[in-house]
Structure formats: C-alpha cells, structure tokens
C-alpha cells in the first residue's frame, strides 16, 4: 500500500492548522513522513495537547494540601490519606465516541479511566460517572413529532451508555457506586459521558509514568494492536456533525476481561520491582505513551513496530502508531529483570513483547520493516514542550444580559403545591436513579458501606477505621446562566454532598465539557467557570489533582451547557461517624442549617434563588435569570460546623438542599431510607411567594435531624460557629406536611420519585 | 478451632475471590488460601469455594470454559469423594456447566444485569450449608448477575423438590428462575450453588450479616 504524499492539505484534513504545519516543518527541518504527520496531528490535537485550555487550567490550585503529586505530573492525582496509603483518582470524558456508539463509547471510557488508576500501582476501588442526555420524555411543552423522535434517540443513548458502563465495570470487578445524570435539550446531539475512578495504593508501591535509564527495554503488554480507534483523539477534537456517524470505526472496542487480567498483572509487576516506568495506552496509543514517557524522563525511545503483537498483519506504521486498541500498556523494565516481567504476564496469559529501548537522545525513533518511519524530538510533541499553546479570545455571551433581565415575579403561581412537588419528584433530573444503578454491581469487593441513592457514596478501607466518600456533581444550568458562580457552586455542592456523609472534602478532579473554544463566547464560559472553580477550591482547601478537557461538544448552531463536572474525594477518619440523608427516628427534631432565611422577613422580597432552578425548568419550562448566589467562605464555615456535629455523633441525618429546593430535600429525607420511611411535620413562616420559598435552590443549606436531647448542644455550637440553625419540625407519622400547603402520604412521594425513570425507560 | 481448610478457586476473571477470602479468613478466622485455576489439585483443602466473577470473560456461556480448567478437574473428583463445594453466582454457573449441579442459568428475564438486595426464604435447614438458619427464615442477600435465571426440566425439578435439594428461594423473583429457585444442593448434599452473594453481607458494617451463617454452618460441619 502506497502512503499518501504529505502536503498542507493532508495536514489540514488531519485537523492541523496551517501555522501548526509550518511549525512541524521548522521542528524537523524537512517534510514529515506520513507516519510523522499522523503522530503530530494526534499529539497536537486538543485532546492530547490541551493547547486551548492549558493557560486557564494553570490558574487552578494544583498542589498543596494532601497532594503527593501535582496535577498533570502523573496519570492521575495522588492524595495522602494517612496509614501509609494514598488515593489515586481521576475523571475523563468519552463524549464523542458515546454519541456515535453509546455502548462501546461508554465502556471504553470506563476502561480508560480504570487504566489511568492502576498504572499508578493503585487498585481501583470505586467507579463513578457523570452523564448528560437530551430529554427522555416529552414534557408537555413541545409536543411535536420531532421532540418525540428526539426523546427516543436520547433513551437509546441513555440505555446503551448505562449498559456499557455496567458491563465493563461489572466484569472488571469494580463497584460503580455513584453518579449523576441530567436530561436537557442542549445535550440532544452531544451527550456527555464522564467516567471517574478511584484507587488505593500504598505509598511505597506507586509507579511513575516517567521513562529513564538508557538501555532499559521497552515492552508493550496486554491486548494485541488492531485497526480500531485510529484517530480517536482527533475525532474527540472536532464538532459532532452529520459526518460523525461515519466515525463509528474510530470508536474503540472494550474487553473488560482482558482489562481485569491487565490490572492483576500490572499490580503484580509493579510490586515485583521490575518496573522503571509505566503508562497506559489511551488516546493516541503507542504514539502518546512513548512520547509522553520520554518527555517526562527527558530521554527518548527507539521502537521497532515489527515486534508489536498485531491483530492484523497488514497494518502500516501509521496505523500501528495511531491505533487506540484498548487494554494495552507501555512498560519500561529495568534491564536484567525482563524475565520477572515476562513470567508475570505469561501467568495472566497476556502479551508481553519487547519492542524497543530507552535512549538518551530526546527522540522518538520508530522503525517499521527496516525503515525509519518516524524520527521526532519527543519534547516537541507534548504539552509543556513543543505542543502549541493558544490564548483564546473571550467575549461575554449575548444571552447573559438578556437572561439577567428576566423578572421571575411574573411567573404564574401554581394552584396546587402538592401536585407541583410530585411533578418535581418525578422529573428525571430529580427522580431516584435506581433504574441506572441496579444495573451496576455496587458491592463487589465488599467495601461499599453507603450505597448509591444518598448525597454521596462511601467505601470503607479494610484494615483501617477509615472510609472514602465520593461524589461527582455539576449543575450545567447554573454554569450556563453564570459561569463564574456556576463553577463555584459545582465545587461547593460536591463538597457539601461529601460533608453530608460525615466526611471531610480533600481534593477534586474535574472534567471540563464545553463547546468550541474558537467561539469567544464559549471561551468566556470556560474561563469564567474555571475562575469560579479555582476560587472555591482555594477556599474549601480542596486542590485540583487533575482531570480532562473536552471541547467541541457542539453541533450545528448550539453548544451544550458549559458542564465542568467535579469529582470530589472526601475522607472519614472514623467510619462510625458516617451519616446518611434520611430520617431515622420518630420524634427527632428537624433542623434547617446554614443559609436559612426562611423566617427572615427583612430579606428583600425579590431576593429569591429561584432562577436556574429545576422548578423553573420543569414547571415553567424556563431557563432564565441568574444562578443562585454562593459564598464559598460561608460554605466552608458550614462544612466545619456540620463536621463538628457529625464528629460528635449529634446528627441522625444530614441532607443538602439542591435540585428542587427545600420541599424536595425534605421529601427525600422522608423516603430515601432503604428500610423504613418516616413522615414529618414542618412549620415555618413564608417570607414571600410560597412556591419560591418551597422550591428555590438556595446554596449552603442543610436539612438535618437530631435527638431532642442533643438540640441544646447543637444550638450552642451553632452560635460559636456563627451558623444559622433553626428548628423547623418533627419526624412523625407517614405523611409529609409542610405548613398547610403540602400534605402528602409517603407512598405518593415514593411513587413519583422511585418509578419515574423506570416507567419512561420500560414503556 | 475449626478444622475447616478453605480453598478459594481463582479463575482469571474471578472478582469476588477476595471477598470470599476476606469473610472466611478475616471474619471467621478459617484457614483459607487461594487456588489458581492452572493448579491441578485442591491439596489439603476440605471446603472449596467457586467465587463470583466472569471466570474466563464469559463472553461465551457463563462458566462454559471454566469447566475445562485444570483445577476444576480435581474439584470434580473432590466433590465425587463427598468434599464440600460452594459455588456463588459465577461459581453456581460453573457448577451447572460441570454437571455437579443439575439445570442451567439463563439470561435474566428482563435481559439486564440486576444488582439489588432481595429477600430469600430458607427452604431447608437440614443441610450442612443452612444448619444455622431457621426453617422458612427470611433473609436479605444481594444479587448481582446478568444470568441468574435458573432453569431445569420438569423431571429434574420434581427430583429437586422431592430430595429437599432446594435450599433458598426468592420471595420476589428478580430474574425469572423456575420455582423462584435461588440456591440448590446436589443429591449427595455436599455441593451448594446459589446466585445471591452471602459474602457481601457477612459483616454488620455492610448493612447486614445475614449471609455469614452459610459460611459458619459449613465451617462447623467439618470435624
């Protein structure tokens, strides 16, 4: 097969800009070979190079606290949790592949992030995900045939993404314990599939992704290399269009069984002491792993592609270098320890082929059929080296001002608040997600002590008294209305969820899903939301350990809501202090804690946090106004207060107010218990319109319950912390009663909350 | 001190092997070790556990390759001598494939993987696996499987019932199993297969320890 001639046109067709092609000519001082232009095109794609995002990302707090490595240094972040243990965790997107092939796209997303974790020497202990789709039900606002077809399409994507995530994690043997999903029109053509993994490693058993020691042999281990996923990274760096359907062959195919073998073999070989450096092969396969490992180690590699185990003998150098076949690793072994490594991989029936060696010259030299197919300075390929870095133009989006002018006082007041509450509980954005998580193995490895369905999920760490609390969160609607506040809220809310389980927030990983960065309005959303995230992380002392950027979540004329998913890690030093979100005992006192304002009549009448709410979205079909206010300093004070109370076992339940507001949160506390549901009676004075008071989404607000005998201590502590804490009702009966306006039996609440998604999906 | 010596078979795709090991070794202090699938003998072990997971990937029928593994040849001999074997989830599937237990496990009726806690009824407490339960006792155990829909012929079902081989049934059938069967023993009463995971509920901290008595019953039966 004859290779195409390298020209500017070819470079452009591979996604490179003219200036980038010029730059390549300058670096090489000659015309690149076909293989070389392929290598540059994937390494300088947005997905691998972060060329349009890195300047903003660098503004985030990326070190300090309990971080053992700074963000970007290794395959995933590493956080110290004491007892000689560390947690590796990271979130990554697989949006584009999932848009065209939802099952494999989602499955390989999970596979990729798991490899990032066990490449560090950590055993994965939990998997999470953050998903976005178009609407799965027609909400009555736009009953056209096109919306029906759109809903069917979204259901198809949703169903297969969930199955892909489940099948991969279930077979691999990691519990999938937490997640979030929203259904909004803006995700119709661009679903978001973000997968997160968490692993645990002993400090002295971590591995590095750095190559070193000239002469050390380089191995490729795991699956054979095939023609699947070629140019996946490039595909991820462009907009979804009608042509995207033709990109289905760019989607990789997952094999969770091989991944499980690779996990065990990798951990074993790292423990054996034979490994110098190791990196998984995800985007851009051999290309990315060889160049990044070399660049990090300030050395180079000589690779002979004839030694790579192939699924198809007729692969060209270009194809082998760019294949994104899954379940592979690149390993640098200490010279003399080759046999140790080979024996381990043989035990697990995996390929382990020596394909080259580390060289001192900072170059990637690739040989194929006795010819030098590529010869590129490694450093020129990577982020922080020669990869281009662009400062993008920023412009305040036009919609922001017009949205801000919205006056919510003109909203029609619902006549029946009971009906409104039931409708909100049944909104797929709020309704219980068991249709999803019952397809995930949530308990394998017998560590899950708090199953999905509460504010966050908790896994114990065997042989210690500790537990990890994990959560992923982002309200894209808030970020859309106000990128700065929305970014801040995403961090604050995920931390609040962690705090609701009694755990202390430690650090975050983020997955930044945005539209086209060349659109200055999109870049405003990006830059501003990152500013919000950074500020919140500084105040909450939860540094960013790493993550992933996914641009080009855009099609035709609209982009997705800016959706920076925050994966939050928290630590419970004493597992006995874990709290859950549902009421436990009859006659317990119900408390409203934090940013209450419920009884505050002095509050300006028009200061309701109703815009951007699920109430406005579901009941009024509007996304208008500004995101809710957030004060991260107050948020931190609230967390410290709650953790002091849970640390003294003073609270019987803790739940945060979020989507659907106060009324939904109270209803959830009544019905979230897996065993016995409990009703309650709530009384407070409205400070304005009832619907606003019940459904506004005030931030930094917690609903808790406690023994009557603990109330004095709690109130005294609240005074010391200067946190508002109000007694608003009692746990009793089998109905939810709020003032004289909400009065519903628990089975009505449960019916809406638990059956909604199931009835849509199994129709 | 119990004379039980447990061996947990590790197929390459087993993923509940460490969970079973943890319960036996750390919770119940039973002498326990792993048995690699490439080994050819169960050695001095007197209880063999086939754990949950995806033995050899199970892209083909679950457990259909596992039955040919070197260790399984000796597990079959061991069971033939009256040795105690417990197959949990994937282990149950392997036992049916090897013929140590009758019947087969098909795709769940709803064609989905199901992970949730279900209520089981103890149908027979006169077995070495259930001696510590009460007859008709209701216990809560989690299931986590895509192929747990137990099926056998009319004839075999009559035999299972007649011989008191059905040990556990589902109160609310999650997967379509015939006669709500969740767990059975063989005619010789030394081999148990069950789809739910007792090892996942053997410590109070995990929400329940309803599953623990299966392991305790068995460990005590070894004298």
């Amino acid at each position: 097969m004859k290779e195409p001639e390298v020209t500017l046109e070819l470079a452009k067709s591979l996604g490179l800009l003219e200036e980038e092609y010029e730059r390549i000519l300058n670096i090489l001082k000659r015309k690149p070979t076909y293989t070389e232009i392929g290598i540059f095109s994937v390494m300088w794609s947005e997905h691998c190079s972060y060329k349009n995002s890195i300047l903003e990302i660098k503004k985030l707090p990326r070190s300090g606290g309990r971080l053992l490595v700074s963000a970007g240094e290794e395959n995933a972040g590493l956080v110290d949790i004491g007892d000689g243990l560390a947690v590796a965790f990271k979130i990554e997107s697989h949006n584009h592949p999932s848009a065209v092939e939802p099952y494999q796209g989602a499955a390989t997303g999970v596979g990729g992030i798991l490899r990032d974790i066990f490449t560090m020497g950590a055993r994965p202990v939990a998997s999470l995900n953050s998903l976005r789709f178009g609407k799965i039900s027609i909400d009555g606002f736009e009953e056209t045939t096109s919306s029906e077809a759109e809903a069917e399409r979204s259901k198809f994507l949703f169903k297969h993404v969930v199955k892909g995530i489940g099948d991969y994690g279930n077979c691999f043997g990691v519990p999938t314990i937490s997640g979030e999903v929203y259904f909004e029109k803006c995700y119709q053509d661009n679903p978001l599939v973000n997968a997160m993994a968490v692993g645990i490693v002993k400090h002295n058993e971590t591995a590095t992704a750095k190559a070193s020691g000239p002469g050390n042999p380089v191995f490729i281990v795991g699956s054979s290399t095939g023609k699947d996923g070629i140019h996946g990274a490039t595909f991820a760096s462009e907009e979804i269009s009608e042509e995207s359907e033709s990109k289905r062959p760019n989607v990789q195919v997952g094999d969770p069984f091989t991944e499980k073998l690779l996990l065990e073999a990798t951990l074993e070989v790292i423990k054996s002491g034979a490994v110098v450096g190791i990196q998984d092969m995800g985007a851009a396969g051999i290309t990315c792993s060889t160049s990044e490992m070399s660049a990090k180690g300030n050395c180079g590699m000589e690779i002979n592609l004839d030694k790579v185990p192939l699924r198809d003998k007729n692969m060209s150098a270009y194809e082998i270098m760019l294949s994104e076949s899954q379940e592979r690793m690149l390993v640098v072994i200490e010279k003399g320890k080759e046999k140790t490594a080979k024996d381990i991989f043989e035990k697990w029936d995996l390929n382990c082929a020596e394909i080259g060696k580390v060289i001192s010259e900072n170059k990637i030299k690739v040989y194929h059929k006795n010819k030098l197919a590529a010869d590129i300075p490694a450093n020129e390929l990577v982020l922080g080296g020669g990869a281009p870095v662009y400062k993008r133009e920023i412009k305040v989006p036009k919609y922001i001002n017009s949205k801000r002018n919205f006056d919510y006082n003109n909203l029609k007041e619902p006549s029946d608040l009971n009906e409104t509450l039931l409708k909100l509980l049944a909104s797929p954005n709020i309704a219980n997600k068991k249709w999803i998580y019952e397809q995930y193995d949530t308990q394998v490895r017998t560590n899950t002590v708090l199953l999905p369905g509460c504010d966050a999920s908790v896994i114990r760490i065997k042989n210690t008294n500790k537990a990890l609390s994990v959560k992923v969160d982002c309200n894209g609607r808030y970020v859309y209305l106000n990128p700065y506040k929305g970014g801040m809220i995403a961090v604050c809310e995920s931390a609040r969820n962690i705090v609701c389980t009694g755990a202390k927030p430690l650090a975050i990983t983020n997955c930044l899903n945005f539209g086209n960065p060349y659109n200055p309005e999109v870049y405003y959303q990006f830059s501003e939301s990152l500013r919000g995230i950074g500020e919140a992380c500084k105040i909450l002392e939860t540094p960013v350990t790493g993550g992933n950027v996914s641009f080009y979540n855009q099609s035709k004329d609209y982009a997705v809501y800016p959706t920076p998913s925050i994966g939050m890690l928290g630590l419970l030093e004493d597992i006995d202090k874990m709290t859950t979100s549902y009421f436990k005992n009859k006659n317990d006192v119900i408390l409203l804690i934090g940013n209450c304002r419920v009884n505050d009549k002095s509050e300006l009448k028009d200061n309701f946090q109703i815009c951007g709410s699920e109430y406005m979205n579901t009941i009024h079909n509007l996304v208008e106004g500004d995101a809710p206010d957030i004060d991260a300093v107050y948020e931190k004070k609230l967390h410290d207060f709650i953790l002091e109370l849970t640390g003294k076992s003073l609270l019987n339940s803790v739940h945060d107010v979020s989507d659907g507001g106060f009324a939904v949160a109270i209803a959830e506390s009544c019905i979230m218990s897996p065993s016995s549901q409990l009703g309650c009676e709530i009384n407070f004075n409205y400070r304005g319109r009832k619907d606003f008071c019940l459904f506004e989404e005030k931030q930094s607000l917690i609903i808790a319950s406690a023994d009557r005998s603990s109330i004095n201590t709690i109130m005294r502590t609240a005074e010391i912390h200067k946190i508002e804490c109000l007694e608003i009702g009692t746990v009793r009966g089998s109905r939810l009663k709020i003032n004289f306006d909400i009065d519903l039996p628990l089975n009505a609440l449960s019916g809406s909350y638990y059956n909604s998604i199931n009835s849509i999906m199994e129709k | 001190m119990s004379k039980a010596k447990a061996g947990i078979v590790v197929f390459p795709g087993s993923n509940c092997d460490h969970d079973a090991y943890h319960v036996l070794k750390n919770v119940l202090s039973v002498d326990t070790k792993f048995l690699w699938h490439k080994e050819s003998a169960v050695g001095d072990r007197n209880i063999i556990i086939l754990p949950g997971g995806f033995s050899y990937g199970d892209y083909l029928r679950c457990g259909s390759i596992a039955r040919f593994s070197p260790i399984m040849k000796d597990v079959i001999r061991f069971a033939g001598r009256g040795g105690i074997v417990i197959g949990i989830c994937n282990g149950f599937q392997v036992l049916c494939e090897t013929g140590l237990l009758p019947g087969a496990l098909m795709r769940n009726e709803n064609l989905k993987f199901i992970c949730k806690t279900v209520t089981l009824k103890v149908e027979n407490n006169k077995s070495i696996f259930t001696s510590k339960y009460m007859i008709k006792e209701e216990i809560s155990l989690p299931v986590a499987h895509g192929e747990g829909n137990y099926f056998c012929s009319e004839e075999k079902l009559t035999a299972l019932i007649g011989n008191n081989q059905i040990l556990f049934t589902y109160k609310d059938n999650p997967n379509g199993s015939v006669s709500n069967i969740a767990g059975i023993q063989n005619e010789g009463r030394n081999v148990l297969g069950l789809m739910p995971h007792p090892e996942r509920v053997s410590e109070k901290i995990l929400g329940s320890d309803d599953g623990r008595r299966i392991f305790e019953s068995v460990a005590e039966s070894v004298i």
Side-chain angles (χ1 to χ4, degrees), chain B residues 21-187:
Chain B
Y21 182 91
H22 172 71
V23 171
L24 285 158
K25 176 89 175 178
N26 303 327
V27 180
L28 301 179
S29 303
V30 168
D31 172 356
T32 306
K33 66 180 196 187
F34 290 116
L35 296 169
W36 185 236
H37 66 115
K38 290 177 185 173
E39 287 176 36
S40 55
V42 301
D44 67 345
R45 303 290 99 187
N46 50 30
I47 298 171
I48 299 298
I49 310 259
L50 306 180
F54 291 73
S55 51
Y56 288 86
D58 290 355
Y59 294 118
L60 199 59
R61 218 170 51 243
C62 295
S64 59
I65 297 177
R67 64 178 284 206
F68 297 110
S69 64
I71 192 72
M72 279 312 294
K73 290 202 179 96
D74 200 45
V75 170
I76 293 167
R77 283 192 290 266
F78 171 80
R81 294 195 299 268
I84 300 168
V85 181
I86 301 177
I88 302 167
C89 197
N90 189 227
F92 187 10
Q93 294 162 342
V94 174
L95 288 173
C96 288
E97 286 291 330
T98 56
L100 285 175
L101 288 173
L105 292 147
M106 308 187 298
R107 290 282 297 280
N108 294 343
E109 215 168 36
N110 72 354
L111 304 180
K112 288 193 173 67
F113 189 94
I114 302 172
C115 176
K116 64 176 181 185
T117 296
V118 297
T119 305
L120 298 183
K121 257 196 291 191
V122 179
E123 298 290 347
N124 171 357
N125 69 344
K126 293 195 173 56
S127 81
I128 55 167
F129 307 105
T130 53
S131 60
K132 287 187 164 280
Y133 294 95
M134 292 194 297
I135 188 79
K136 299 291 174 194
E137 184 177 344
E138 290 191 358
I139 55 174
S140 294
L141 256 58
V143 294
H145 57 247
E147 303 185 16
N149 180 358
Y150 182 78
F151 181 79
C152 66
S153 66
E154 204 59 38
E155 228 171 295
K156 280 182 178 159
L157 183 62
T158 314
L160 283 176
I161 297 167
N163 295 330
N164 290 320
Q165 283 174 251
I166 302 172
L167 300 189
F168 302 102
T169 55
Y170 299 110
K171 194 177 174 197
D172 194 5
N173 195 335
N175 51 28
S177 288
V178 65
S179 288
N180 302 319
I181 286 174
I184 55 172
Q185 62 179 350
N186 65 343
E187 259 189 273

Side-chain angles (χ1 to χ4, degrees), chain A residues 401-467:
Chain A
N401 273 334
S402 66
K403 296 262 171 211
R404 296 274 161 85
N405 290 333
F406 178 79
D407 182 2
Y408 57 79
N409 288 304
N410 297 330
L411 286 173
K412 189 168 169 275
E413 199 165 347
S415 53
D416 185 345
L417 292 166
N418 283 320
E419 190 194 324
T420 306
L421 175 58
L422 291 176
K423 217 168 160 185
L424 279 171
L425 286 171
S427 153
N429 289 344
I430 289 179
N432 173 275
K433 309 296 189 291
K434 75 178 167 143
W435 182 87
I436 305 173
Y437 60 73
E438 283 186 354
Q439 297 185 57
Y440 299 154
D441 191 335
T442 49
Q443 290 161 302
V444 61
R445 305 201 64 75
T446 59
N447 294 324
T448 316
V449 289
L450 184 53
L451 289 161
C454 280
D455 288 310
S457 295
V458 179
I459 44 169
R460 66 166 168 180
I461 304 168
K462 286 194 184 109
N463 305 319
T464 73
N465 210 21
K466 292 176 177 173

Side-chain angles (χ1 to χ4, degrees), chain A residues 438-508:
Chain A
E438 283 186 354
Q439 297 185 57
Y440 299 154
D441 191 335
T442 49
Q443 290 161 302
V444 61
R445 305 201 64 75
T446 59
N447 294 324
T448 316
V449 289
L450 184 53
L451 289 161
C454 280
D455 288 310
S457 295
V458 179
I459 44 169
R460 66 166 168 180
I461 304 168
K462 286 194 184 109
N463 305 319
T464 73
N465 210 21
K466 292 176 177 173
L468 298 177
S469 179
V470 286
K471 174 67 184 175
V472 55
D473 214 309
C474 177
N475 187 321
R477 220 158 38 221
Y478 296 168
V479 189
Y480 171 72
L481 292 174
N482 188 324
Y484 172 71
K485 281 205 274 181
M488 209 167 212
I489 289 172
V491 176
C492 288
E493 188 176 346
S494 53
R496 202 182 309 137
N497 286 325
I498 297 293
V499 167
C500 285
T501 64
K504 184 179 160 51
L506 293 186
I508 73 158

